[in-house]
Amino acid sequence: MSAPITQDVLTIPRKLPEGGRVNIVGLTREQLHDALIAAGTPERQAKMRVGQIWQWVYHWGVRDFAAMTNLAKDYRALLADRFEISLPEVVTRQVSADGTRKYLLRIAGGHEVEAVYIPEEGRGTLCVSSQVGCTLTCSFCHTGTQKLVRNLTPGEIVGQLMIARDDLDEWPTQGTPKNETRLISNMVLMGMGEPLYNFEGVRDAMKVVMDGEGLSLSRRRITLSTSGVVPEIARTAEEIGCLLAVSFHATTDEVRDRLVPINKRWNIQTLLDALREYPRLSNSERITFEYVMLDGVNDSDEDARRLVRLIRGIPAKINLIPFNEWPGAPYQRSSWERIESFADIVHKAGYASPIRTPRGEDIMAACGQLKSATERGRKSRAQIAAEAAG
Ligand code: SAH
Ligand code: SF4
């Protein structure tokens, strides 16, 4: 028996209790505009103030209203009284032998989430979380074993990028050329959680991240990975417009039901129909199909051939992910020969089929290994095994 698929998650209110300060981080321009007016900013000035504050916070990385020197002193005092610029707290920062950095962050309510920075030749990718834990229970994923779930607020999602920028010392200083290569050049929503079960939170966070006068990451440098929440896929194209990756992982419904249980709700055919529309709706090139290589489960040559038949007609890249083990996991990684043989078939069918090099394994930072150590509520091994067995 598999656990039912639920979306029973909690979102904490954006505004702090009576008398508390409103956090600016994560508000969209419209929300900031309204909040400034509510705090007494004259309506005709509000748009200009939004622009000024926005630049200080998201372009220069300033955290102190007193440093916003193009605002009048008493206005700065008013802002400091009513607002704050606050980020999740960094609990630990681990640096892997390969340069990967993993941040354990504490958010409101004492929950913890992780973000991972992966440096590569000529670019760097920040992998961010969208939820604490995940309501879904993919049987090969460590995050899926974590019981407790809540949606991250837009501020907590944007905050992950700002914290990584702090750590890498990547805020511009006066005179930095605008287009120099950035350490954090790309962002992937591939950390903890199912981003499309926190659609509004993720969308508003991406609006802030993509804004050209602030953090300024282009939508083509952001990839959202979903396990297949079909009704939100078209909305992602229309309201976010970033690149899409899908956790495909199997070529028959029977196997996918076991690996990615959301498949019981929206099966392979339904998912593929939604994916076919994505490139046109989002005006982007191709979809990334993620495929975790599990020994003896989904890694045969026949699977590879079935995969290319299934996705025919969809502009795609197939990202093969060697399974990353975690304590108690009910699977093993496929052998390198198996992965290469699979990749070869996909490649000969005309698709790019990179094998994702596991990064940061020594600090448990690789795909699917994230899980807060302090969230003790954990599904039992028996439950994971039962889910894996279908
Ligand atoms: N919830 C979203 C995004 C987070 S997971 C999703 O499922 O798409 C990012 C990727 O890592 C997904 O493709 C996921 O299936 C994969 N993954 C999860 N656990 C893994 C593991 N132990 N080894 C390798 N990949 C894993
Ligand atoms: Fe959730 Fe993604 Fe892990 Fe599945 S693979 S349990 S959807 S985080």
Side-chain angles (χ1 to χ4, degrees):
M1 266 291 290
S2 296
I5 297 162
T6 60
Q7 205 190 328
D8 186 17
V9 291
L10 181 96
T11 304
I12 56 163
R14 188 190 299 281
K15 290 213 169 104
L16 298 173
E18 205 58 30
R21 296 187 174 88
V22 175
N23 187 10
I24 284 184
V25 179
L27 298 182
T28 59
R29 279 181 183 266
E30 297 73 37
Q31 289 163 343
L32 179 56
H33 184 267
D34 294 349
L36 291 179
I37 291 173
T41 307
E43 265 194 71
R44 63 194 155 69
Q45 290 180 6
K47 193 164 176 230
M48 185 170 81
R49 298 290 171 244
V50 168
Q52 290 168 315
I53 296 168
W54 195 273
Q55 258 214 329
W56 283 116
V57 175
Y58 297 119
H59 180 76
W60 300 110
V62 161
R63 301 289 149 75
D64 183 1
F65 293 106
M68 302 185 176
T69 46
N70 58 354
L71 300 174
K73 261 213 169 111
D74 52 351
Y75 190 64
R76 284 185 248 162
L78 171 103
L79 290 175
D81 190 45
R82 305 293 291 269
F83 295 94
E84 61 183 15
I85 304 166
S86 88
L87 302 180
E89 179 196 341
V90 182
V91 182
T92 56
R93 187 199 74 156
Q94 288 171 279
V95 183
S96 158
D98 69 13
T100 301
R101 293 173 183 222
K102 182 167 87 169
Y103 308 97
L104 176 66
L105 308 173
R106 186 171 296 135
I107 56 172
H111 305 302
E112 289 174 351
V113 289
E114 292 177 326
V116 178
Y117 173 68
I118 307 143
E120 288 166 286
E121 196 62 41
R123 59 186 240 159
T125 303
L126 185 71
C127 176
V128 304
S129 293
S130 56
Q131 299 184 306
V132 178
C134 185
T135 47
L136 300 173
T137 52
C138 302
S139 51
F140 52 88
C141 173
H142 204 203
T143 308
T145 69
Q146 191 169 311
K147 263 187 182 158
L148 195 81
V149 178
R150 95 153 158 77
N151 281 336
L152 298 192
T153 62
E156 290 161 349
I157 299 171
V158 175
Q160 295 173 57
L161 173 56
M162 295 171 74
I163 283 170
R165 280 209 163 176
D166 286 352
D167 184 41
L168 296 165
D169 198 14
E170 211 192 6
W171 294 102
T173 45
Q174 297 283 357
T176 317
K178 213 174 171 194
N179 291 323
E180 67 168 349
T181 309
R182 294 214 204 146
L183 292 173
I184 307 173
S185 59
N186 294 63
M187 181 156 141
V188 294
L189 284 145
M190 292 189 187
M192 297 160 71
E194 167 49 60
L196 296 189
Y197 271 165
N198 181 12
F199 186 86
E200 281 85 11
V202 166
R203 178 201 55 203
D204 288 355
M206 293 309 108
K207 274 193 192 166
V208 174
V209 164
M210 296 187 297
D211 190 293
E213 280 163 44
L215 295 162
S216 199
L217 264 188
S218 114
R219 65 184 188 90
R220 291 173 192 281
R221 290 183 172 273
I222 300 173
T223 304
L224 182 152
S225 173
T226 180
S227 57
V229 184
V230 165
E232 306 289 5
I233 289 179
R235 246 180 118 195
T236 305
E238 284 154 8
E239 297 180 35
I240 307 177
C242 60
L243 302 179
L244 188 73
V246 64
S247 295
F248 208 65
H249 304 325
T251 59
T252 64
D253 282 321
E254 192 256 319
V255 176
R256 196 163 190 271
D257 281 352
R258 266 194 291 145
L259 299 182
V260 190
I262 202 176
N263 194 67
K264 292 180 199 156
R265 182 103 166 251
W266 296 291
N267 67 14
I268 291 180
Q269 216 43 61
T270 317
L271 175 59
L272 287 171
D273 288 344
L275 295 177
R276 258 175 237 290
E277 292 298 309
Y278 194 88
R280 184 179 58 77
L281 292 176
S282 64
N283 187 25
S284 58
E285 302 107 50
R286 56 186 183 174
I287 291 177
T288 301
F289 283 74
E290 297 162 286
Y291 199 98
V292 62
M293 299 299 289
L294 304 170
D295 184 31
V297 176
N298 63 354
D299 61 350
S300 67
D301 286 353
E302 202 190 333
D303 277 306
R305 285 190 284 269
R306 225 177 355 242
L307 177 61
V308 296
R309 274 204 303 276
L310 281 171
I311 66 170
R312 191 167 294 154
I314 305 180
K317 165 172 107 178
I318 320 287
N319 210 330
L320 299 175
I321 316 176
F323 174 59
N324 295 311
E325 302 199 355
W326 39 271
Y331 302 105
Q332 280 168 339
R333 180 182 289 184
S334 308
S335 69
W336 282 107
E337 301 80 73
R338 190 81 307 277
I339 299 177
E340 275 168 7
S341 164
F342 194 106
D344 200 46
I345 292 170
V346 174
H347 185 73
K348 288 207 172 101
Y351 297 97
S353 53
I355 300 170
R356 195 183 286 175
T357 323
R359 297 291 302 263
E361 280 190 298
D362 52 341
I363 55 168
M364 285 280 283
C367 302
Q369 291 185 320
L370 303 185
K371 178 178 185 293
S372 158
T374 56
E375 302 283 2
R376 287 187 208 287
R378 181 180 194 285
K379 292 166 194 158
S380 67
R381 280 185 192 203
Q383 192 180 344
I384 297 164
E387 281 165 13

